Amino acid sequence: MNYTLGTVVRYPGNGQYYKLVNVGSNGSDGTDPTISTWYWQPTTCSTTPPPSSGGFVVSEALFNQMFPNRNSFYTYAGLTTAMQAYPAFANTGSDTVRKQEAAAFLANVNQETGALVYIREINQANWNSYCSSGNCGGKQYYGRGPMQLSWDYNYRTAGAALGIDLLNNPDLVATDSAVAWKTALWYWMTQRAQAARTPHDAMVSGAGFGETIRAINGGIECNGGPGREGMLNRGRYYTDFAGRLGVPTGNNLTC
């Protein structure tokens, strides 16, 4: 069967539950959830509601302390609303692991946005540079939001996963706080670029914070790349945020 986004199924092969977190042109395309991990994410089936603002391991007060100069666009309510799209975020494993993942996510966001100050990519000269087809109908797919979502194909894929037409309305990522946070969580939970794991999987598996950097900007910052200082900044932010949450950083802070 081809299921729609968000469907939770019980797979008879092992009796476990899986949630459809990405869709293709034919929904789930009839894929095997134990093999097609881009489509399916292991989950639980219960009546437990998704995290609310009271369920996030980072309180609103602490969030405000972490980002004292943040742009008012980046609301705490927008983040906790977005978390309902990915209930496994900062809600998997032990209390320590949940807090480490939250610290890691916010540390990377801190680096991407100048401490949640910038909504749009600073260098406007690049705004027309992110069109893979060469003709994007006048639409611009430069970096926007907490994870600076860039390129037309990422807007297309993120929009399909979230049920939002971001390909035709890319500026929603810069004008709707919940949508902006959702795109950041979409990348965190489902994308890995050239890394072995998604950032979420890196933190819950114990692979370490450095692997989240590799999944987000590894081509520039990892392995002695030209953006090495950015990698070091991310590690410093993570160490700070983990300390504020009272948890150790774990190993592998760099890539």
Side-chain angles (χ1 to χ4, degrees), residues 37 187-188 190-199 211 214-216:
T37 56
Y187 195 95
W188 184 266
T190 70
Q191 304 301 296
R192 59 186 180 87
Q194 297 178 356
R197 303 170 178 84
T198 67
E211 191 73 2
R214 190 176 299 280
I216 293 169

Side-chain angles (χ1 to χ4, degrees), residues 17-214:
Y17 292 94
Y18 296 85
K19 181 178 180 179
L20 186 62
V21 295
N22 281 302
V23 293
S25 57
N26 296 313
S28 60
D29 287 331
T31 52
D32 182 332
T34 64
I35 298 174
S36 298
T37 56
W38 183 82
Y39 288 102
W40 298 99
Q41 175 180 294
T43 188
T44 57
C45 189
S46 71
T47 58
T48 302
S52 64
S53 60
F56 188 29
V57 294
V58 178
S59 68
E60 185 169 8
L62 181 54
F63 177 79
N64 290 334
Q65 291 173 18
M66 289 173 166
F67 303 101
N69 300 312
R70 65 182 170 84
N71 190 301
S72 60
F73 172 75
Y74 290 117
T75 65
Y76 182 81
L79 172 56
T80 55
T81 297
M83 286 170 57
Q84 296 177 23
Y86 292 99
F89 167 70
N91 199 33
T92 304
S94 67
D95 183 62
T96 294
V97 171
R98 293 196 297 270
K99 289 178 178 179
Q100 287 173 333
E101 182 179 7
F105 173 77
L106 293 174
N108 278 295
V109 162
N110 196 8
Q111 174 65 19
E112 294 288 310
T113 62
L116 289 183
V117 170
Y118 300 109
I119 302 171
R120 305 172 190 272
E121 183 173 341
I122 299 172
N123 188 355
Q124 296 188 25
N126 287 339
W127 280 15
N128 287 317
S129 303
Y130 300 97
C131 180
S132 63
S133 66
N135 181 8
C136 285
K139 298 289 193 301
Q140 294 176 311
Y141 300 103
Y142 56 83
R144 296 175 174 91
M147 205 63 77
Q148 290 291 281
L149 186 71
S150 307
W151 291 97
D152 51 320
Y153 49 81
N154 279 325
Y155 278 83
R156 179 187 299 108
T157 308
L162 298 169
I164 307 168
D165 186 5
L166 296 180
L167 188 65
N168 288 311
N169 300 284
D171 217 40
L172 282 175
V173 184
T175 56
D176 186 310
S177 182
V179 170
W181 284 113
K182 283 180 182 179
T183 62
L185 290 176
W186 164 79
Y187 195 95
W188 184 266
M189 300 297 293
T190 70
Q191 304 301 296
R192 59 186 180 87
Q194 297 178 356
R197 303 170 178 84
T198 67
H200 168 73
D201 289 339
M203 295 308 298
V204 302
S205 70
F209 179 74
E211 191 73 2
T212 72
I213 304 173
R214 190 176 299 280

